[in-house]
Structure formats: C-alpha cells, structure tokens
Amino acid sequence: MRAVIRVLVSFLGLAGLAVTTAWAQHPQTREGFWIGFGFGYGTAGLTCDACGSTTREGPQTREGFWIGFGFGYGTAGLTCDACGSTTREGSASGYVKLGGTLNKSVLLGGEVDAWTKGESGVTVTLGNVSAAAYLYPAPQTGFFFKGGVGYANLRVSNSGTATANGFGFVVGAGYDIRVGRNISLTPVANFYWGGDGDLKESGTTIDTGYKHNVFDFGLGITFH
C-alpha cells in the first residue's frame, strides 16, 4: 500500500508540474475541431516493507515437516505368465507424500502412488508404497528428482476381490512453484513398477507372475 501511494503521489506531482509549465507558456484557447493521442514506455522499481526491493517468486526454503498430494493421468501396462503383455490403458492417477527435511538439497519421506480404472464392472487398481528421497540439485530452484523402493500391489475387484503383492520402485521428477511462503504447486512426472507376483482370491491362485508399470503426469500441492 505504501508503494502504491508513493507512485500515485509522484505521478500527480509530475503531472501538476507539466500542466503548470504548459499553462505559463501557452494560453489555453479551445476552438474548432481537435484530436489527440499519446503513448509511452516506462519502468518502475517498487519497494514495500513486506516484499523487499522487487517482486519475485517466493524463496525456495525447505525445513522441517512437509506433506503433499496431487492427481493426474497415466498409462498402465500389465504382464503375467499366462497373459503375456496387455495393451496399455489410460486412466486417472494420484499420489500422497510426506516426510522431513534432511538439508536444503535432500528431503526424505514416504510416498503412495496409485492408478485405477473401472470398465464393464471390473476395477483394476495398481499402486506403490515407497520410502523415497527427493534431491534438489540446485537448491535455489524448485526442480527435483526422486526415487524410492517399497511395496507394490495389484487389486482386481468385481463380484469379489483378487490381489497380488510384491516389491516395487518409483522414480520421477518435478518442480515446486512457490505460490506462498510455505505452499507450492508441484507438477510431476512419475514412473512406478511393481513385481506383484501371484494374483489370489480367498487364497486361491488365479494367475501367476504379475508385474505392473505406470507412467503418469500430475499436478499437486505441497505444504512445506
């Protein structure tokens, strides 16, 4: 507010000086047809008590606890011993992550990634739960790589539910766009893989050797 007032006062002062000078040099006669136009170019630097000398994106500070979540779209592929490779399918995806700050370049935490699609009464859900690390190679920016390992799951639901569980990993990259002191919009790209193993329903093996892979893009919000 102080910056705005200063600009307005300066502008009015300059305008008043220009009008006074013109008035002294030329009488103000107005006759017949008239037309006028104008253009200009200017630069200004504003200061205010809260924002410092210039307006810029919030600083990339990282400390303490953080949490984030987001949604997106991904394509998924499945393989198994009996079915071979299936056609990739596209559908909604999402993630939740939280953890703590090791230093300004490294965050440690846990992340859940999931993809799901329902069709003809059958819903397939693929997911990974990972212990993950987030590396910011240039700490002054919001760009990061991530990687993690953990648990993978395949779930098929219709009249009953069949599941397969195994080892999985996730890798990806993203960028924290600061929109507030402790809030970022975070676009991300992820790849997660799972060696789910045998698909079972009520202890009965339906198929063996399932593996899944998902590649997705998403947009999330992160609270630092």
Side-chain angles (χ1 to χ4, degrees):
M1 181 59 71
R2 293 180 183 176
V4 173
I5 292 172
R6 289 175 188 148
V7 171
L8 288 176
V9 170
S10 299
F11 177 81
L12 291 174
L14 291 172
L17 179 60
V19 170
T20 302
T21 303
W23 185 285
Q25 293 177 352
H26 303 283
Q28 293 294 319
T29 58
R30 303 177 183 86
E31 297 177 350
F33 176 77
W34 58 269
I35 187 171
F37 65 92
F39 61 90
Y41 173 81
T43 62
L46 302 181
T47 63
C48 66
D49 294 340
C51 59
S53 60
T54 58
T55 301
R56 60 176 181 261
E57 181 184 352
Q60 293 286 340
T61 56
R62 302 177 191 92
E63 56 186 18
F65 175 78
W66 53 268
I67 186 170
F69 62 91
F71 302 94
Y73 179 86
T75 64
L78 274 175
T79 64
C80 71
D81 292 340
C83 59
S85 297
T86 63
T87 303
R88 297 191 71 84
E89 298 281 349
S91 190
S93 62
Y95 73 88
V96 177
K97 61 179 183 177
L98 57 85
T101 304
L102 182 64
N103 56 51
K104 65 181 181 179
S105 298
V106 180
L107 308 183
L108 300 177
E111 179 166 326
V112 178
D113 298 277
W115 177 97
T116 186
K117 183 170 186 176
E119 188 173 319
S120 302
V122 179
T123 300
V124 176
T125 303
L126 309 173
N128 286 54
V129 180
S130 309
Y134 305 80
L135 173 64
Y136 292 78
Q140 71 275 15
T141 74
F143 179 73
F144 64 89
F145 296 105
K146 70 177 180 181
V149 297
Y151 168 83
N153 175 262
L154 160 65
R155 179 179 296 265
V156 181
S157 303
N158 44 25
S159 56
T161 300
T163 60
N165 308 297
F167 169 80
F169 69 84
V170 60
V171 294
Y175 195 97
D176 292 328
I177 304 170
R178 289 297 173 118
V179 295
R181 184 176 182 275
N182 298 312
I183 303 174
S184 296
L185 290 178
T186 307
V188 295
N190 301 309
F191 175 81
Y192 43 105
W193 177 92
D196 306 300
D198 298 343
L199 184 67
K200 298 181 179 181
E201 181 176 1
S202 301
T204 301
T205 299
I206 299 173
D207 269 320
T208 60
Y210 270 91
K211 298 180 180 68
H212 74 252
N213 66 87
V214 177
F215 182 76
D216 71 6
F217 293 94
L219 178 64
I221 184 167
T222 306
F223 300 92
H224 305 271

